[in-house]
Structure formats: structure tokens, C-alpha cells
Amino acid sequence: YQRMARTVKAPKTPLVKPPEVVRVLVLHSSDPHQAGAPLYGQRYIHFLGSDPEWVLGRPLPEPDDALSTWE
């Protein structure tokens, strides 16, 4: 009971690990074989390489041994 009371009184603050953002440079392009083809200028494309994650410091214990592993 005392171990559980200490855990409730001093909770750890979870943090959000930001996602990995990847930036790709796409160079200018057009179709040289087509007359009047549009010219697309260079631009950057951003996409997420990973998802954001919650970080709790240590993994949560299994439900059956929750009280035995928490200090």
C-alpha cells in the first residue's frame, strides 16, 4: 500500500517524442518530348518518417505483478 501511495503522490510526467520529419528536394522538371509541357520548379516535400510517441521513462508493468515491480 505504501509503495502505491508513493507512486500516486509522485507521478512521472509523460513526454511526447516528436516525429522524424524528412525533407526531400525535388528538382525542376518538364517533359522534353511534349510540346508546351509545363515546367515544374524545384520544391521541398515534407513527410513524417515516424509517428509521435509517448515516452513514460520506463515501460508499465504487467497487470498481475504491478505492485511487486514498482518501487
Side-chain angles (χ1 to χ4, degrees):
Y1 178 77
Q2 291 175 354
R3 282 187 283 177
M4 183 184 286
R6 284 194 304 262
T7 302
V8 171
K9 288 180 183 177
K12 296 198 182 270
T13 304
L15 300 173
V16 176
K17 178 182 170 186
E20 176 187 8
V21 178
V22 180
R23 183 175 81 162
V24 178
L25 173 63
V26 178
L27 298 175
H28 63 277
S29 63
S30 68
D31 187 1
H33 303 293
Q34 181 182 3
L39 172 66
Y40 297 101
Q42 78 178 32
R43 61 200 173 276
Y44 286 99
I45 298 173
H46 296 82
F47 65 93
L48 299 179
S50 65
D51 293 330
E53 298 176 21
W54 286 103
V55 179
L56 297 174
R58 63 179 176 170
L60 296 175
E62 296 297 321
D64 56 339
D65 61 24
L67 294 178
S68 63
T69 58
W70 286 78
E71 299 176 8

